Amino acid sequence: MAKTILFVEDSASVRQVMNSTLTREGYQVILASDGQDAMGKLDGSKIHLIISDVNMPNMDGISFVKQVKQLPAYKFTPIIMLTTENQAEKMNEGKAAGVKAWIVKPFQPPQLLAAISQLIQA
Amino acid sequence: MVNRRTKNQQNNRIAIEGELTIYTVLELKDKLLAGLSDNSELELDLSEVGEFDGAGLQLLVMVKQQATTLGKALRFTGHSSVVLDLIDLSGLAGFFGDPLLIVRPSTQ
Amino acid sequence: MIPDEYLQTFVVECSELLEQMEQALLIVEQAAEDPEIINAIFRAAHTIKGSAGMFGIEPIVEFTHAAESVLDRVRSGGIAMDAVLAALFIEVHDHLQAMISRVAEGNQPFPEIDERSKILIAQLEAYLGEAKTEQPEQSAPAVHQPKLEREPGDTVAGTDLWHISLRFGPEVFRNGMDPFSFVRCLGKLGAIVELVTIIDAIPAAADMDPETCYLGFEISFSSDAGKADIDAVFNFVRSDCLIRILPPHSKIGEYQRLIQELPEQEMRLGEILVSCGTLTAEELNTMLRLQAQHGGEPQRPIGEVLVEQHLVSPPVVEAALEKQQQVKDNKRNEANLIRVDADKLDGLINLVGELIIAGAGTNLIARRAGMADLIESTATLSRLVEEVRDSALALRMVPIGATFNRFSRVVRDISKELGKDIDLVISGADTELDKTVVEKIGDPLTHLVRNSMDHGIEAADLRIARGKPAKGTLKLNAYHDAGSIVIEVSDDGGGLNKDKILAKAIERGLVSDGTGLSDKDIYNLIFEPGFSTADAVSNLSGRGVGMDVVRRNIQALRGSVDLDSVPERGSTIRIRLPLTLAIIDGFMVGVGNAAYVVPLDMVVECVELQAWVDSSDGHYLNLRGEVLPYRRLREHFGIDGEAVARENVVVVRYGERKAGLVVDKLLGEFQTVIKPLGKLFRGEKSLGGFTILGSGEVALIVDVPGLMAQVEHEKLIEQTAVAAAR
């Protein structure tokens, strides 16, 4: 059974590239362009990993994570957050919300794949 | 999504379906301990376990140890592939002591 | 590895983001307090950086990183988004656009764009100041390679397998992580020879919380990977897990320490290590024997531990000490100074401004009433108020030295970067000017200094060929001159190439031809908007880079800039700035029922219009043989009513130019507190602000450079139209 990854990112080009990379690796991918969009895509079906950017319009990554953690179906879903080194404050907020895995932007697909493979396997 | 159900077809047999993971261990702990106290002999059918993780594994360890403490016989049967896979990786097959049919995929 | 179609998405996405960024930048000055505007700019830079990084377009990543860092400071309130910074970001935006269009064309290397990036990055980094610290490239804590050299006499134990001990923290499951995931991931780096799952910590049924993690592993592992790579597998659980990684053939003491650190019984662990194949039974026995003899190691001093664990390095300590010393020195200098909140000073200046207005009102009433005693008394009062004003303004005055001194570092760094030997000579460092002006002049100055060094000062061999010393000299000078401060940036370089500038200006349509233009007029064309474009950088003798932005920034401070150049001898750029931004001496004129104030230091003389003869085309006046452009304020501001019979002309001078303003009445000198105009007047370039008269009426302050620029612009359009009609 293929593992499902929810990928939340406002950059269309990053979504496009990561979608093809993750699909090629054998993951099922759900794409969302911001936190609000992502919340709309959480319908209770199993998600094995959430990858989310921090800086996004409408609903940013931190608010999104806080909301996800409130949903019983996803309270233990691992989350990787994409951040930049300038965001110590955001990171602390995210850590308080239960995010343990951080990837510093900009990254290239292999770096993210390596991080994913630490948490789930295809 | 947690389509796990436990069936008590017979009093001394519990089947776990779906997830045996962090999402279900809290519920299952009570279920399994109750089953153990109600029966002197208990069979845990793992054939329908679709997802199995470390939390599920340590729950099985705890139940097994509890059975030993209570002097009851607990058997795990019908291990699904995900269960076999993790027990194999953990090196705990000997601890559980159940007969296992280990089929390694030839493609690996 | 990334298909072209994705790159197209990237280009389209960036164009959209840049458009948003530009829109936000255009309104950011008016809405500097609106966090959403700043956020929009930040997010655009942030997203472009992230996407560019994924496509591996390093120049864009590096560039947007600098922009993002500054924007982040703006967001957190550390830096104000003022006109100068907004202008810089407009440049950043334009430059990003250029970079992205290169990507769209498919040529990845951008040599000349790199050059521009460097300049802009340096300008951005200037905002980050000293607080900027080197950021580690990766989020993962630096992992030091294990020291593999052996100390003499230390027994080597173990096999050629790595040994990894893991005890997971209680929250691991709840954080969405599975210890076995890490083990599987480890399996990709090598072969797991033996794994023992440690279940000792799982409590009895009653006490067990099934969501708490009690697991641990002892793993013997065969791999050619480095320690850092193995260690990196556990990055996400590092903070709350016990992780010990011993390389193959570690010292016996290290295994010993491992056993001590782990929570389980020593004998049990020893057996696990043996069963893992990490240690032989014999080695274990030796270890346990040693253990018994020493009875554990004595405590070591913390310093030794820190050094051993590479937690501090000597340069860091030195830097910290240096910093402490600096702080001490500064404290000594500040002993006889009082620090005052700049806002309090602004409040004082505002009050003084009101006082001046009130005083002028009293004066007016006294004169109208014709009471000699009162007039005398208000005269004394006015004099005192003037003194109060000067003292209050002096409080805001700071010497320009600190700003100049910053450039010794800049000059040193750029010299190194350019491979040129250049001396910086500073004079007039004691010259004082308004604090606000000092803050805002730094960036235009940086721009000018960089330009002079980069394009002005020639390479050493060319200098020698021209009979000049090999070492170039850059001078920064400041002095007071007639109510303004003048800052000069001069170099002894090659000067500007007049012909090339003229050719460029004609090509760009800035002038029709060179007739009637003095050398100086031609040199100053480089400040025209539209003159400097990226490709002007390489083929003109330089100075093309954003000089119009420099001028715009200086004009925003009610200043002016002009340039002198002597071929092969060097150039001097002169910035003229008002001493303060808050209060000016004005000259009041009347047009119809309205009153206007012209800054007094710009007024040369006043004459009756009758004495003048209109030149043939109606745009110029003849003043004792000198041809001056002129403007009727009545026409310019669209004031109704009949023109008076005897109009007056106020001859104004700004920078090196003169012009005539035709008005109805001359009302005399008047001290003016400048109040900024509302947003409604943003577009009106010929007004610099307003002031309230003693009578309570409002007078508008004429921005002479702005007005004349507008006049010249209209003239240019007319000329073009005439030329086209022919």
Side-chain angles (χ1 to χ4, degrees):
Chain A
M1 193 187 77
K3 299 268 172 85
T4 306
I5 295 178
L6 171 63
F7 191 79
V8 193
E9 159 71 57
D10 58 330
S11 158
S13 60
V14 173
R15 279 203 305 275
Q16 203 173 20
V17 172
M18 285 318 299
N19 183 29
S20 84
T21 310
L22 294 173
T23 310
R24 204 164 46 230
E25 289 290 313
Y27 295 106
Q28 187 99 22
V29 184
I30 300 172
L31 297 174
S33 59
D34 59 56
Q36 215 171 338
D37 187 21
M39 285 307 293
K41 292 190 171 164
L42 294 175
D43 56 1
S45 49
K46 181 83 184 178
I47 286 172
H48 295 87
L49 176 67
I50 294 171
I51 303 172
S52 172
D53 194 10
V54 171
N55 267 284
M56 293 181 296
N58 299 325
M59 188 195 292
D60 74 4
I62 304 295
S63 317
F64 168 60
V65 166
K66 285 181 184 162
Q67 292 203 20
V68 166
K69 291 279 171 191
Q70 299 304 309
L71 302 174
Y74 304 105
K75 63 175 175 176
F76 300 125
T77 305
I79 298 168
I80 295 180
M81 290 225 92
L82 309 174
T83 178
T84 60
E85 54 264 56
N86 290 330
Q87 295 179 302
E89 205 175 301
K90 286 277 171 197
M91 273 183 84
N92 288 335
E93 248 186 273
K95 279 175 184 161
V99 178
K100 293 286 159 176
W102 298 84
I103 295 288
V104 176
K105 267 188 156 189
F107 60 86
Q108 290 190 14
Q111 285 164 267
L112 184 57
L113 285 179
I116 292 171
S117 71
Q118 291 170 21
L119 297 178
I120 61 169
Q121 285 79 31
Chain B
M1 57 151 221
V2 186
N3 57 355
R4 172 208 50 80
R5 270 169 291 144
T6 48
K7 293 179 192 166
N8 280 347
Q9 287 116 330
Q10 297 156 27
N11 261 350
N12 59 353
R13 183 165 174 273
I14 297 176
I16 300 175
E17 289 185 10
E19 288 198 27
L20 177 44
T21 65
I22 179 66
Y23 279 101
T24 58
V25 286
L26 202 57
E27 246 180 284
L28 280 172
K29 181 192 170 190
D30 295 340
K31 201 94 186 171
L32 298 183
L33 288 178
L36 204 56
S37 64
D38 293 347
N39 303 285
S40 56
E41 232 176 79
L42 185 68
E43 180 189 343
L44 218 52
D45 181 353
L46 303 176
S47 62
E48 294 301 313
V49 173
E51 289 199 37
F52 188 45
D53 66 0
L57 183 84
Q58 73 174 19
L59 184 73
L60 294 189
V61 170
M62 182 275 286
V63 178
K64 187 80 187 176
Q65 283 173 336
Q66 180 69 2
T68 312
T69 311
L70 299 175
K72 298 191 174 182
L74 173 69
R75 283 185 304 129
F76 300 149
T77 60
H79 307 64
S80 70
S81 64
V82 291
V83 177
L84 276 182
D85 193 48
L86 199 71
I87 289 182
D88 185 31
L89 182 62
S90 71
L92 289 174
F95 165 82
F96 289 120
D98 299 296
L100 299 175
L101 176 64
I102 296 185
V103 184
R104 289 183 190 278
S106 56
T107 49
Q108 217 145 4
Chain C
M1 65 170 276
I2 290 167
D4 274 359
E5 70 212 73
Y6 295 164
L7 211 53
Q8 280 317 307
T9 312
F10 169 71
V11 170
V12 170
E13 172 183 289
C14 288
S15 309
E16 282 168 10
L17 287 166
L18 283 174
E19 210 168 290
Q20 288 166 14
M21 186 192 236
E22 190 176 29
Q23 280 168 3
L25 279 170
L26 293 178
I27 52 169
V28 75
E29 273 182 64
Q30 286 98 312
E33 302 305 312
D34 186 348
E36 262 317 299
I37 304 283
I38 300 287
N39 249 335
I41 303 171
F42 174 85
R43 205 156 45 224
H46 173 78
T47 307
I48 292 172
K49 175 177 138 183
S51 314
M54 205 185 51
F55 287 97
I57 309 169
E58 280 309 315
I60 296 184
V61 174
E62 198 187 331
F63 183 66
T64 44
H65 176 75
E68 188 192 20
S69 307
V70 174
L71 287 168
D72 195 53
R73 288 282 191 84
V74 174
R75 275 205 318 180
S76 61
I79 300 172
M81 180 56 92
D82 55 14
V84 182
L85 187 56
L88 176 59
F89 268 97
I90 294 273
E91 287 187 73
V92 165
H93 163 273
D94 294 350
H95 183 57
L96 265 173
Q97 212 158 34
M99 290 176 111
I100 304 251
S101 60
R102 281 304 159 99
V103 173
E105 289 159 15
N107 343 333
Q108 283 246 354
F110 343 55
E112 80 280 7
I113 285 193
D114 278 354
E115 192 61 29
R116 180 96 176 98
S117 290
K118 263 186 220 154
I119 295 172
L120 286 173
I121 288 174
Q123 279 178 270
L124 288 166
E125 281 175 352
Y127 276 89
L128 298 175
E130 291 174 348
K132 183 182 179 282
T133 48
E134 286 297 312
Q135 299 276 2
E137 289 284 299
Q138 297 279 322
S139 64
V143 176
H144 294 278
Q145 289 294 328
K147 282 198 237 162
L148 285 175
E149 71 271 21
R150 312 284 175 207
E151 287 163 35
D154 212 334
T155 326
V156 170
T159 57
D160 50 3
L161 298 174
W162 292 81
H163 187 86
I164 302 169
S165 299
L166 302 165
R167 296 295 180 274
F168 292 92
E171 294 303 311
V172 166
F173 291 136
R174 279 186 280 259
N175 288 332
M177 314 214 183
D178 184 356
F180 285 102
S181 282
F182 300 101
V183 173
R184 290 198 181 99
C185 185
L186 194 63
K188 291 182 180 169
L189 288 179
I192 293 167
V193 175
E194 193 63 57
L195 177 143
V196 177
T197 301
I198 308 295
I199 52 175
D200 303 33
I202 301 177
D207 298 328
M208 191 228 188
D209 174 0
E211 290 178 353
T212 296
C213 182
Y214 303 102
L215 298 176
F217 298 123
E218 294 294 326
I219 303 166
S220 64
F221 182 56
S222 160
S223 172
D224 295 331
K227 180 163 180 183
D229 290 335
I230 295 176
D231 198 63
V233 168
F234 306 103
N235 271 346
F236 297 151
V237 277
R238 188 175 313 286
S239 57
D240 48 3
C241 293
L242 187 134
I243 302 161
R244 291 290 174 272
I245 301 171
L246 292 185
H249 303 292
S250 287
K251 286 175 287 188
I252 199 151
E254 291 176 48
Y255 291 106
Q256 206 173 330
R257 203 172 313 144
L258 172 73
I259 289 176
Q260 283 169 354
E261 279 169 356
L262 294 174
E264 290 83 14
Q265 290 274 309
E266 284 179 10
M267 269 314 286
R268 162 129 172 82
L269 280 165
E271 281 162 19
I272 291 170
L273 289 185
V274 174
S275 80
C276 276
T278 301
L279 291 176
T280 63
E282 199 178 329
E283 282 164 344
L284 176 65
N285 284 336
T286 319
M287 251 172 67
L288 293 175
R289 221 173 34 242
L290 281 170
Q291 183 84 15
Q293 279 168 12
H294 289 292
E297 285 178 17
Q299 292 265 313
R300 283 178 307 157
I302 187 115
E304 202 181 317
V305 175
L306 287 177
V307 169
E308 190 189 59
Q309 299 190 353
H310 301 273
L311 288 177
V312 288
S313 65
V316 173
V317 176
E318 273 168 34
L321 288 176
E322 213 168 281
K323 190 91 202 165
Q324 274 179 351
Q325 190 58 43
Q326 274 177 12
V327 171
K328 271 187 204 158
D329 288 352
N330 283 345
K331 274 205 179 129
R332 217 166 291 144
N333 290 340
E334 284 165 7
N336 52 3
L337 298 177
I338 304 171
R339 296 179 75 95
V340 181
D341 191 340
D343 287 347
K344 286 188 182 166
L345 278 185
D346 288 346
L348 177 64
I349 304 252
N350 254 334
L351 280 177
V352 172
E354 303 293 334
L355 188 60
I356 290 169
I357 292 169
T362 316
N363 231 334
L364 208 71
I365 295 166
R367 256 183 286 158
R368 210 178 286 153
M371 294 168 64
D373 288 358
L374 189 57
I375 293 172
E376 200 177 314
S377 146
T378 53
T380 316
L381 199 62
S382 304
R383 207 192 62 239
L384 286 170
V385 167
E386 248 172 68
E387 276 174 33
V388 171
R389 175 202 66 172
D390 290 345
S391 321
L393 287 180
L395 290 179
R396 285 179 57 91
M397 301 294 261
V398 292
I400 198 168
T403 308
F404 276 2
N405 287 335
R406 249 176 49 199
F407 284 97
S408 38
R409 168 76 191 276
V410 174
V411 168
R412 199 184 59 208
D413 289 355
I414 305 174
S415 323
K416 208 179 286 172
E417 190 182 302
L418 296 172
K420 291 178 185 172
D421 200 4
I422 300 171
D423 256 349
L424 175 69
V425 179
I426 292 175
S427 49
D430 292 339
T431 313
E432 292 191 324
L433 75 168
D434 195 277
K435 187 175 175 301
T436 336
V437 182
V438 165
E439 281 166 4
K440 292 183 174 174
I441 199 63
D443 296 307
L445 266 186
T446 313
H447 210 123
L448 294 174
V449 165
R450 283 191 159 262
N451 263 327
S452 282
M453 295 179 66
D454 197 0
H455 305 297
I457 293 175
E458 320 91 318
D461 41 356
L462 183 55
R463 292 182 61 88
I464 292 165
R466 285 176 174 171
K468 292 194 273 193
K471 194 175 208 178
T473 305
L474 184 86
K475 282 186 190 154
L476 285 175
N477 184 26
Y479 54 90
H480 282 152
D481 176 49
S484 353
I485 180 171
V486 178
I487 302 170
E488 287 180 343
V489 180
S490 43
D491 64 63
D492 63 347
L496 271 68
N497 187 326
K498 196 174 72 184
D499 299 338
K500 281 190 182 170
I501 292 173
L502 189 58
K504 195 81 195 172
I506 292 171
E507 183 197 318
R508 303 246 168 234
L510 298 174
V511 289
S512 47
D513 57 54
T515 48
L517 290 179
S518 66
D519 286 3
K520 191 155 185 164
D521 290 339
I522 294 171
Y523 293 141
N524 282 290
L525 284 172
I526 66 165
F527 292 112
E528 290 302 318
F531 179 86
S532 49
T533 59
D535 62 306
V537 181
S538 46
N539 54 23
L540 274 189
S541 71
R543 323 229 170 203
V545 187
M547 292 297 256
D548 61 319
V549 176
V550 172
R551 184 169 71 171
R552 212 160 62 216
N553 291 345
I554 291 168
Q555 283 176 344
L557 298 171
R558 292 197 291 111
S560 63
V561 58
D562 74 300
L563 185 148
D564 271 331
S565 178
V566 181
E568 299 196 10
R569 300 306 296 272
S571 315
T572 298
I573 294 166
R574 218 165 270 117
I575 301 170
R576 187 174 280 270
L577 292 166
L579 284 179
T580 173
L581 298 176
I583 299 176
I584 58 167
D585 284 320
F587 186 79
M588 192 148 69
V589 297
V591 182
N593 289 328
Y596 291 89
V597 175
V598 181
L600 187 63
D601 55 357
M602 291 186 170
V603 176
V604 183
E605 60 180 309
C606 303
V607 272
E608 248 179 73
L609 183 65
Q610 272 185 340
W612 298 55
V613 180
D614 267 273
S615 69
S616 55
D617 65 356
H619 286 295
Y620 297 95
L621 293 173
N622 185 337
L623 173 66
R624 295 184 294 273
E626 196 180 345
V627 176
L628 291 185
Y630 78 97
R631 186 74 167 180
R632 277 196 164 78
L633 289 189
R634 178 181 290 279
E635 285 167 20
H636 186 84
F637 293 113
I639 295 161
D640 296 334
E642 286 296 300
V644 294
R646 288 164 61 162
E647 288 172 304
N648 287 287
V649 179
V650 180
V651 179
V652 292
R653 183 180 66 117
Y654 64 101
E656 302 294 314
R657 291 185 238 190
K658 279 186 186 175
L661 302 177
V662 181
V663 300
D664 292 357
K665 281 173 287 183
L666 303 173
L667 300 173
E669 290 181 27
F670 189 82
Q671 228 177 37
T672 305
V673 182
I674 301 180
K675 307 226 172 227
L677 288 168
K679 282 181 192 171
L680 205 59
F681 294 92
R682 257 313 141 173
E684 182 53 68
K685 295 228 165 35
S686 48
L687 291 177
F690 75 98
T691 187
I692 299 166
L693 304 179
S695 59
E697 285 167 65
V698 167
L700 294 166
I701 298 165
V702 178
D703 181 338
V704 174
L707 177 89
M708 293 323 289
Q710 209 169 328
V711 169
E712 274 168 32
H713 179 69
E714 282 164 21
K715 201 169 68 194
L716 202 69
I717 291 174
E718 209 167 292
Q719 277 173 358
T720 323
V722 169
R726 278 181 199 143

